[in-house]
Amino acid sequence: MKEDILKTLRAYFEMEKESGVEEYLLSPKKKDESLSLKEEVFSCHMCGLCKTRKNVVFGSGNLKARLMFVGEAPGFDEDVQGLPFVGKAGILLTKIIEAMGLKREDVYICNILKCRPPQNRNPLPDEIASCIGYLSRQIDYIKPRVICGLGKFASQTLLKTETPITRLRGTWHEYRTIKFMPTYHPAYLLRNPSDKKLVWQDMKKIMEIL
Ligand code: URA
């Protein structure tokens, strides 16, 4: 009887582990960490973008996600809604996620910058320096198995390299011991749809690991 209960419990936790739950008993802590970081970011005034933002775009998705997507910075729609990747590029990203057999709720999506740069200009070095610590802490508590860098900006920033995205994408890199796959940004794919097949190759590599 006791053995049976133990066997069932073991099978249950094995199943949880396989589906990405590594810290079952610690998840309330994860939630607390996420909430307190979120509060911190929501009241952030560390760079000039706090003056022009409508909303902070913290990130969204599963705190236990095995796969984390990191983009550049919120655009117009994201700034209005306070959510990452909800504009045209976001619709394409959602399609890519679904083609991988996942839902947006299964993964975690965020950006290097949490506030929109005016007119979607490129992030400035001081803005990155102010913001990068927040992303680093998000990665710490989510502990994804794989990070996918969406586009040149996210990939070059996290890998601390100036190698062009054309050369970075499609091969495995490491970000602080986490497997890192750079790929093209969905906004680039909207302008260059013929490169979608390359992104699909990259996603297949990610799916092999997951
Ligand atoms: N582009 C990004 O890099 N991030 C978003 O959230 C939306 C568009």
Side-chain angles (χ1 to χ4, degrees):
M1 177 69 171
K2 208 163 120 194
E3 271 79 12
D4 283 350
I5 296 173
L6 282 175
K7 224 168 158 183
T8 311
L9 277 174
R10 191 170 296 121
Y12 174 75
F13 285 116
E14 294 272 291
M15 203 177 71
E16 287 274 277
K17 201 173 166 192
E18 262 169 38
S19 62
V21 181
E22 282 169 10
E23 289 185 296
Y24 188 74
L25 298 169
L26 293 180
S27 58
K29 188 175 156 218
K30 232 177 219 200
K31 221 176 198 163
D32 286 351
E33 278 168 8
S34 165
L35 284 177
S36 66
L37 178 60
K38 204 168 186 175
E39 277 170 18
E40 216 180 294
V41 181
F42 270 59
S43 56
C44 179
H45 290 89
M46 293 219 289
C47 80
L49 297 181
C50 64
K51 297 195 194 96
T52 49
R53 72 181 175 219
K54 286 196 179 70
N55 282 296
V56 169
V57 180
F58 181 71
S60 73
N62 193 332
L63 296 183
K64 295 175 192 160
R66 305 190 85 204
L67 173 59
M68 184 165 183
F69 288 96
V70 180
E72 177 174 325
F76 176 84
D77 297 292
E78 291 76 20
D79 184 42
V80 170
Q81 296 186 43
L83 290 167
F85 283 96
V86 287
K88 281 189 188 135
I91 292 170
L92 179 54
L93 177 62
T94 306
K95 281 188 187 156
I96 294 171
I97 292 168
E98 286 171 355
M100 295 169 85
L102 299 167
K103 299 193 208 83
R104 267 179 82 112
E105 309 86 83
D106 296 324
V107 303
Y108 196 85
I109 307 175
C110 60
N111 287 299
I112 299 273
L113 291 193
K114 310 302 184 212
C115 299
R116 181 190 182 209
Q119 277 79 50
N120 298 349
R121 62 153 168 75
N122 285 341
L124 301 174
D126 74 294
E127 294 162 354
I128 301 165
S130 305
C131 219
I132 198 74
Y134 295 140
L135 174 61
S136 169
R137 284 162 66 190
Q138 281 174 305
I139 295 171
D140 280 345
Y141 65 68
I142 292 172
K143 294 191 178 61
R145 176 106 170 77
V146 173
I147 299 174
C148 177
L150 295 170
K152 161 193 146 126
F153 185 81
S155 303
Q156 289 183 340
T157 303
L158 290 178
L159 296 176
K160 294 196 173 73
T161 179
E162 294 196 350
T163 306
I165 186 70
T166 43
R167 279 189 45 218
L168 289 175
R169 66 142 286 277
T171 52
W172 285 111
H173 300 258
E174 255 189 19
Y175 171 79
R176 292 186 351 209
T177 75
I178 300 171
K179 285 178 101 49
F180 188 98
M181 176 59 75
T183 196
Y184 288 132
H185 194 285
Y188 164 86
L189 291 182
L190 291 173
R191 299 188 301 272
N192 301 274
S194 61
D195 277 346
K196 281 185 189 171
K197 56 181 180 302
L198 296 177
V199 170
W200 186 235
Q201 284 172 16
D202 305 344
M203 296 307 112
K204 282 199 283 196
K205 287 183 183 161
I206 292 178
M207 282 149 70
E208 277 166 25
I209 298 285
L210 300 178

